[in-house]
Structures are given as structure tokens and as C-alpha cells.
Amino acid sequence: MRYDYVIVGGGSAGCVLANRLSADGRHSVCLLEAGPPDRSPFIRIPGGILQAIRSKQLNWHFWTEPQPHLDNRPRYWPRGRTLGGSSSINAMCYIRGHASDYDEWARLGNRGWSYRELLPYFRKAENFEPGVTNDFHGKGGPLNVAEPRDPNPLSHAFIEAAVQAGHPRTADFNGAQQEGAALYHLMQKDGQRCSNARAYLREAEGRKNLTVMTGVQATRVLLDGKRAVGARVFASGRYLDVLAAREVILTAGAIGSPQLLLLSGIGPKDQIVPHGIAHAVDLPGVGRNLQDHLDVIITVKNTSRRSISFHPLSLWRGLRELLRFLFFKRGDLTSNSAEAGLFSRSSPAEPIPDLQFHFVIAANTHHAQDLGVLFRGYAYSLHACVLRPKSRGAITLRSGDALAPPVIQPNYCSDPADFDKLVVAFKQARAILAQPAFEPHRGPELDPGQAAQSDADIQAWIRANAETIYHPVGTCKMGVDDMAVVDPELRVRGINGLRVADASIMPTLIGGNTNAPTTMIAEKAASLLLQEVMAQTVIAAAA
Ligand SMILES: Cc1cc2nc3c(=O)[nH]c(=O)nc-3n(C[C@H](O)[C@H](O)[C@H](O)COP(=O)(O)OP(=O)(O)OC[C@H]3O[C@@H](n4cnc5c(N)ncnc54)[C@H](O)[C@@H]3O)c2cc1C
């Protein structure tokens, strides 16, 4: 099996590349995905998110190593394992980050990656349904961005409460002003999830020059000297080689992409040779620079019938909402749960927002792993995270077994400044939840509970309960320094014919959710690849 391009990982980024590289019909493209096709209705129905995350097939169900600064707890890390990848199980919030995040990438030496230069790729990807035509948003792109269809009264109460607590309102987190409270824009179309598979892959799947293989897990990149020539995959109990005439593009995500490089002998020698793998290229940065958003959650009992959302105890309401969804694509089942949010500063000295809040209209379910919590009664929860953590972790190999998960060490709060900011975020969250706007809904605080008041109580609560809010990045860092894994054209340094083009290339974690930025990265990668082909064609024609 030989194709021009072999794309490894059919997630958020892989779907973009599969579409863009196959669009003009000139190149044969193969997309390899370890998980199954994305046919589950729990993917399509936004309210099915808990079931999608709980699925054994659609989620890798990773665990981190014990976290030394969080009471030695290993933390659970869901990651999508199906076409669309994590965009098929995520919370659908459409956020690009702050303009200065990308200017920082450019300042680090990544030419072509400033906000001004990247905005066209964000716009190209987007179909901004609310219809405002301004310099920030795109029309006619594959990724549909919509307003929540039927926001819960609690989400409006949250925005009101944030304003009462002294935060501004903002019209658009992705527009001129990120700071403030608003409803999130959502990656949805017709009240249903618009994953990157739905956005990009559906229209491309019928093309003769695109082959999509599911249920095939890549185990290494095939090298011929210093050139990548394909990928070895494990499928239905046997190994196959899928060859690439032009390039292999890794889009296996912030965990999968560095793991594949290490399994292929690309990375620091001392991380590779002890696992019985031949060392091919010395790249000390592979797997390093892991960054993630750590989240603390306050949960409050909801006493107002007006704002009660879809709930297993409410059979009549459940049936009504199911019918509303099936016939009108409206109601509770169109909800992504995290309908409203806030970007704020931990101190007036901060030049831009460094905290993000997700207001969720239901109880915290510990990443859908604790459905028992739903039977504690109706509740709402406020999530708070620190946007640009200083702590750095790593992905390393556990063994030479390519089918085993790697070692995930995010090293949360190894820099104490991250912990201190999380305490500030917790206090801001509590102040918002105490505002008059919540009065009609507010019951007792369930977690951590009003008894936890002193700084020591709050710190202990954070250490014992802080969780990921799902944005690991940075493990195949783009840059020009010795720790860079890819250059600003996303080429793996020291190897020809190999790129990485997913969330792992972010040099620093952006201030917000990571699906829109990953989509932008893949759009830019496709454009770089196609421009290169065009340049080669011109040179060949001239010769
Ligand atoms: C529960 C959850 C909620 C989230 N909520 C939001 C949100 O509301 N908004 C937002 O912007 N972001 C959110 N995110 C984050 C966002 O979805 C990710 O940052 C983004 O999807 C990352 O894209 P990616 O292409 O780098 O990786 P992924 O989308 O994870 O894709 C990687 C793909 O590669 C496949 N793969 C891995 N290894 C191999 C292999 N060896 N062989 C073949 N295939 C392989 C995987 O199965 C997967 O399909 C959330 C994530 C999660 C998990």
C-alpha cells in the first residue's frame, strides 16, 4: 500500500489534513485511525457527551502518573479514539485563545505564526453561524460555529453573577475582547456536535484519492536512513506497512505523536535504547514540554425547578427532551453543559486574562466516571483553571510495546506559582457563585462545602481534587532552539519526509480551549505542504 501522504491519527488535526490534501485530486492520501468510525449517536447528540466519554471504544482512558504536588493522585485523562479524535468527545466550546499567545510563538522564533498571520487560517476553517461579518470570523468554512440553541437559565444567571462580582461582559471571546463573561460559541451544527470528522471528513470521504482506515494503530514510523517512508500499523492481529511517497504526517495528538516518535527511535537516546529500540535521531525535546490546564471545581445544589436540566431522575422531562431533540433539534439535549464562561485576571497587574471559567449546568461527574453523583440531586458547578501554567511535564515510553500506553507525567503545580493562581481562581469562582443572580437557584455548596473557608482548607481541597480540563499540548514543540522537535514548517528536525501537525507542536499552551487552535495548526500545515508541492512543480517545469 503506497500513497503520496500518510496521515497518522484521524483526530481533530488529521481530519483537516485528510480533507485539504485530497481536495484537488492530485495526491493519494491515507488516513490511519486507531479507533472505530464515529457512528455512535452519543457523539452526534451534544447531551450524549457523558456516554461518549464513558465508552470503552471511543476513549483511550489514559491515566497519569501519581502527581507529587496533588496528594500523589494519578489523574484520569480522557482522549478521543475515533474519527474526529478528541473533537468527537469534547465539550464543543469554540475558543481560539488570546492574540498575544500567537505573537509569543512568533517571538520565540516561529516565523509565520503571529496572530496576524494565523487569523486567516482560523477564518478559513470557520463557518460563523451567528452571521456577524467582521475581521475576526469566517464564513463558509467546514467547522460550524453556533450559539447555544436553548441555554439554561442558569447560564444567564452565571453571566449576570460574574458582572455583579465585578467582571465585564464580552460580546465575543474570539473577537476584540477576550476578557469578560459570555455564552460560549459552540462547534455545533443544527443543534448537533460538529466534530472535525463531521466538518472535514464527511465531504472528503467519497473521494477516490482518499483512503480512510479505522481500527489500525500505528506502531512506528518507517525510516530509510534519515527519511520517513511510511508507517507500520497493527490491525486485526497483524502488522502492515503503509508507505508514503511524499510525506508521513503525525496527527496522533499530544500523547500519541511523541510516543510514536520515541517508538521510531527519534528522541533522546536514554529514553529509547533501554526499551530495545534502535536510536535513529537525537532530538532531546521529544515528549518534553508537556503542559495542561489544571481545573478546580465548586459544586452547588440547584433548588430551582426552572433551571433543572436533563437528569436521570426526571423521566418525564427526559422523554420530553428526547422528543424535542429528535423532532426539532432543540432543548436540553443540544446543550454542551458548559454553555457559559469567563476569562479573568488573577491580579490587576496581569496584562491579559490568565484564568478561565466554565460554568456547567449540572453536577461535576469526575469526567463522566462517577454517574452516582447525579443521584445526589440537581446541581450546578463552576470550573476554574490557570491558562498559562509554568509547570512542565513529559511523555516517555513505559516499554517498547507500541500498543501499551506511555508514561504521562504532567507534573502539575511543580511550579508553585500555578498552585497560587489556582487558589485565586477558586476564590473568584466562589465570589461569583455567591452573587444575587444565583439566589433563585442556590442551595448549599456541595463541594468543597462552606466549611472549607481558610486558605489552608482551600489549598487542601485543590490538592485533593484538582483535575485536568483536557488541554495537553507541547510534547513535539515547534521552535528553533535545541529542544524544538519540529521547525516552523512543522518538519521533524533531522528527518526528511516527516511532520507533526497537531496539538503537540504548540510551544506554549494558549489561553483557552485547544480544538480551534489545533484545527488552525492543521489548516496551516496543509497549506505549507501544498505550497511546497506547487513550488516543486514550478521548479520542475522551469528545469
Ligand atoms: C473530554 C474533552 C473535552 C474537551 N473539551 C474541549 C472544548 O470544549 N473545546 C475545545 O476547544 N477543546 C476541548 N478539548 C480539547 C480538544 O478536543 C483537543 O485539544 C483536540 O481535539 C486535540 O486535537 P489533536 O488532533 O491534537 O488530537 P486528537 O483529536 O486527540 O486526535 C488524535 C487521534 O489520533 C489517534 N491516534 C493516537 N495514536 C494513534 C496511533 N498510534 N495510530 C493511529 N491513530 C492514533 C487517536 O485515536 C485520535 O483519533 C477537550 C478534550 C477532551 C478529551
Side-chain angles (χ1 to χ4, degrees):
M1 282 176 287
R2 192 176 159 94
Y3 304 87
D4 289 327
Y5 295 107
V6 172
I7 304 167
V8 181
S12 298
C15 290
V16 177
L17 279 147
N19 182 326
R20 296 301 190 200
L21 294 181
S22 63
D24 70 6
R26 285 198 297 159
H27 313 291
S28 55
V29 178
C30 179
L31 179 67
L32 304 169
E33 168 54 42
D38 55 330
R39 290 200 199 101
S40 164
F42 297 120
I43 295 176
R44 184 62 81 94
I45 303 171
I49 185 170
L50 293 190
Q51 290 308 322
I53 294 177
R54 285 174 68 78
S55 156
K56 294 252 182 312
Q57 286 77 39
L58 305 176
N59 181 350
W60 290 87
H61 296 283
F62 290 118
W63 281 88
T64 73
E65 295 301 289
Q67 290 309 287
H69 308 281
L70 299 177
D71 286 355
N72 265 332
R73 292 174 300 133
R75 301 320 312 132
Y76 172 66
W77 271 24
R79 292 278 100 196
R81 185 178 176 274
T82 178
L83 292 174
S86 297
S87 75
S88 290
I89 65 165
N90 74 11
M92 293 160 265
C93 299
Y94 180 82
I95 291 288
R96 295 173 179 175
H98 197 275
S100 65
D101 289 317
Y102 304 102
D103 292 340
E104 172 66 6
W105 292 7
R107 196 193 62 76
L108 292 169
N110 297 296
R111 279 185 60 184
W113 291 84
S114 69
Y115 177 68
R116 187 184 54 75
E117 291 161 299
L118 296 178
L119 185 56
Y121 295 104
F122 280 115
R123 296 184 63 183
K124 181 180 184 188
E126 185 186 25
N127 183 46
F128 188 62
E129 211 178 80
V132 183
T133 43
N134 60 28
D135 291 346
F136 294 103
H137 289 288
K139 270 277 168 210
L143 190 60
N144 204 71
V145 176
E147 284 168 334
R149 286 211 147 185
D150 281 311
N152 191 289
L154 280 167
S155 299
H156 293 296
F158 167 76
I159 296 169
E160 204 51 48
V163 172
Q164 288 168 348
H167 301 281
R169 267 177 221 276
T170 181
D172 179 358
F173 292 128
N174 302 301
Q177 181 191 321
Q178 188 192 46
E179 184 167 12
L183 291 178
Y184 282 116
H185 289 130
L186 304 177
M187 292 172 278
Q188 290 191 350
K189 188 170 168 48
D190 308 324
Q192 298 166 78
R193 177 189 296 274
C194 184
S195 70
N196 284 29
R198 185 175 174 206
Y200 284 90
L201 208 53
R202 291 299 96 87
E203 80 167 86
E205 266 164 346
R207 294 176 191 156
K208 286 199 175 62
N209 60 328
L210 175 64
T211 304
V212 178
M213 295 187 198
T214 52
V216 291
Q217 182 163 347
T219 57
R220 55 170 298 188
V221 176
L222 297 168
L223 300 177
D224 180 3
K226 298 280 186 219
R227 180 165 190 88
V229 294
R232 179 154 299 164
V233 300
F234 183 76
S236 310
R238 62 196 185 103
Y239 289 89
L240 299 170
D241 288 350
V242 182
L243 301 180
R246 278 190 168 277
E247 293 215 24
V248 177
I249 305 149
L250 298 186
T251 51
I255 301 166
S257 289
Q259 185 187 15
L260 274 170
L261 288 178
L262 294 169
L263 288 166
S264 313
I266 302 169
K269 196 172 185 178
D270 62 348
Q271 299 285 327
I272 291 173
V273 174
H275 299 294
I277 300 164
H279 190 232
V281 180
D282 194 26
L283 271 185
V286 175
R288 302 280 141 182
N289 192 45
L290 175 60
Q291 298 156 64
D292 187 26
H293 288 145
L294 184 66
D295 193 49
V296 61
I297 308 166
I298 300 177
T299 305
V300 179
K301 196 168 174 68
N302 178 8
T303 52
S304 145
R305 292 206 67 75
R306 206 163 59 82
S307 56
I308 282 171
S309 54
F310 191 75
H311 192 283
L313 291 183
S314 176
L315 290 181
W316 154 239
R317 188 176 171 117
L319 184 62
R320 188 190 73 191
E321 291 304 319
L322 188 60
L323 294 174
R324 276 181 86 197
F325 181 81
L326 288 175
F327 289 107
F328 307 110
K329 299 292 180 292
R330 299 210 75 96
D332 290 353
L333 285 175
T334 65
S335 175
N336 69 326
S337 304
E339 296 169 349
L342 166 71
F343 286 84
S344 79
R345 296 185 231 194
S346 60
S347 108
E350 292 291 339
I352 54 171
D354 59 340
L355 305 177
Q356 183 182 2
F357 298 78
H358 292 81
F359 177 74
V360 174
I361 58 170
N364 167 30
T365 59
H366 293 278
H367 317 286
Q369 300 310 295
D370 176 15
L371 291 188
V373 79
L374 297 174
F375 295 88
R376 281 166 85 185
Y378 303 107
Y380 50 90
S381 47
L382 184 52
H383 295 233
C385 70
V386 175
L387 287 176
R388 291 173 201 84
K390 293 197 166 88
S391 306
R392 297 288 183 269
I395 302 288
T396 49
L397 292 182
R398 190 174 298 282
S399 71
D401 177 1
L403 303 179
V407 176
I408 301 174
Q409 176 49 276
N411 227 350
Y412 289 123
C413 297
S414 50
D415 189 314
D418 297 343
F419 191 80
D420 294 346
K421 276 196 183 179
L422 206 51
V423 173
V424 176
F426 177 97
K427 289 178 178 173
Q428 287 192 11
R430 218 181 219 171
I432 294 168
L433 292 168
Q435 297 301 319
F438 273 115
E439 245 153 48
H441 314 279
R442 187 167 46 229
E445 184 179 295
L446 299 174
D447 295 321
Q450 281 302 330
Q453 285 299 335
S454 69
D455 275 11
D457 292 339
I458 293 169
Q459 288 163 3
W461 165 262
I462 292 175
R463 274 194 299 274
N465 292 280
E467 293 283 344
T468 179
I469 194 153
Y470 320 119
H471 301 148
V473 305
T475 46
C476 298
K477 176 179 104 152
M478 169 176 69
V480 291
D481 61 323
D482 288 348
M483 292 303 279
V485 175
V486 297
D487 69 13
E489 269 76 51
L490 304 180
R491 295 176 291 222
V492 176
R493 293 167 63 221
I495 289 273
N496 291 319
L498 182 61
R499 295 193 206 223
V500 184
D502 55 25
S504 70
I505 69 97
M506 294 188 197
T508 52
L509 183 48
I510 56 95
N513 313 64
T514 42
N515 198 62
T518 304
T519 305
M520 172 279 291
I521 289 166
E523 283 280 11
K524 171 139 176 143
S527 151
L528 288 168
L529 281 154
L530 293 173
Q531 277 165 21
E532 219 164 86
V533 173
M534 209 185 299
Q536 285 162 359
T537 314
V538 171
I539 292 167

